[in-house]
Amino acid sequence: MALLLPVAVMLLVSTLTGGLVVTDHSSAAPLLASIGVTAWLLGVRWYGFRGLGLRGGRPLFAGIGFATLGWVVLVLVRLVAVPTLPVAAEEGGRTFIFLLMFEAFAVQVWTFGLLFRLFADWRGGLTAAIGSGIMFGAVGMLLFQESFTGSFSGFLFFLFWGLFYGFIRLRTGSLIGMVIIQVMQSLTAWTVLVPPSPPPAAGLQTVYLVTSIAFVILIWRLWPKELEDYRV
């Protein structure tokens, strides 16, 4: 149920709204919302808020600290590799709300909340971090607005982004910090700093590949080495 029911609800909503075609925020929002609401209802019933990773305090700030490292790398590479148009971003408020409620919170409640606990109960913390990270990357590549290309470099970026967040969830026990930083990362890199439309393919590949390498290094540093490092 945790794995398939949110997907089934998303496909039902997709059918009712005319098919799984994402062209802008308005078309992606119902699909992501259906995943998030279904996962929220199941997760709160089975695990409670803390069990889903909705924790504040030190876990929240630790998650923010780790996720910020990836954000800084992405923005710096984005500034160098992809030109920024000398125009102001449009609909910044609506974009922020969309990123917060749908791309970040809804998807992470399912992947790093519900699915993380599913995989942890099945095969332990490492399987939870890797499995939920792969699912996050798959959803991101399919539905996120910053998925500009289906190239191999884009696949690596979303895969290692998901794994990076999965290990942050494992080491901190909270997903709230990752939600906050995901919003700021996407907003600054692709909305505040307005790229050409579509962004140049060579520049995107550079952003995706360099950031993927940084994510791999951060994953290596986050890899749990002692039993106390696991915070499911």
Side-chain angles (χ1 to χ4, degrees):
M1 290 180 65
L3 184 62
L4 298 179
L5 187 57
V7 176
V9 174
M10 183 194 71
L11 293 176
L12 175 62
V13 171
S14 172
T15 301
L16 296 176
T17 56
L20 188 61
V21 178
V22 178
T23 58
D24 54 21
H25 292 179
S26 61
S27 61
L31 306 180
L32 296 172
S34 62
I35 291 178
V37 170
T38 307
W40 172 272
L41 294 175
L42 293 176
V44 170
R45 178 177 177 83
W46 292 344
Y47 301 115
F49 292 104
R50 290 179 58 83
L52 279 181
L54 302 175
R55 306 180 186 183
R58 292 181 63 185
L60 163 63
F61 293 107
I64 289 175
F66 286 129
T68 297
L69 299 176
W71 171 25
V72 170
V73 172
L74 175 63
V75 171
L76 290 178
V77 180
R78 155 71 179 82
L79 282 170
V80 174
V82 178
T84 300
L85 299 180
V87 297
E90 298 180 359
E91 299 183 345
R94 292 181 60 185
T95 301
F96 176 83
I97 294 173
F98 170 82
L99 292 172
L100 176 63
M101 297 301 299
F102 301 109
E103 281 198 3
F105 187 74
V107 175
Q108 288 204 36
V109 163
W110 182 45
T111 54
F112 301 125
L114 184 61
L115 290 182
F116 184 91
R117 288 303 305 267
L118 167 71
F119 292 135
D121 291 345
W122 177 45
R123 286 291 186 271
L126 278 178
T127 301
I130 295 170
S132 60
I134 292 173
M135 292 301 296
F136 176 87
V139 174
M141 190 168 184
L142 179 64
L143 297 177
F144 282 7
Q145 293 296 305
E146 61 199 88
S147 180
F148 299 105
T149 175
S151 65
F152 182 68
S153 60
F155 167 78
L156 290 178
F157 169 75
F158 283 99
L159 172 64
F160 289 121
W161 185 16
L163 292 176
F164 174 46
Y165 276 11
F167 277 91
I168 293 176
R169 168 67 174 88
L170 177 63
R171 291 297 302 270
T172 66
S174 175
L175 60 83
I176 299 178
M178 299 186 302
V179 168
I180 296 171
I181 298 304
Q182 181 185 337
V183 174
M184 300 309 300
Q185 174 177 299
S186 299
L187 190 70
T188 52
W190 307 113
T191 301
V192 175
L193 303 173
V194 183
S197 182
L204 277 178
Q205 290 184 6
T206 300
V207 172
Y208 285 153
L209 288 176
V210 174
T211 308
S212 296
I213 294 172
F215 286 157
V216 170
I217 295 172
L218 294 170
I219 291 168
W220 170 64
R221 297 299 299 167
L222 285 166
W223 195 278
K225 301 173 180 62
E226 300 178 359
L227 185 60
E228 291 75 13
D229 294 334
Y230 291 83
R231 296 177 176 85
V232 174

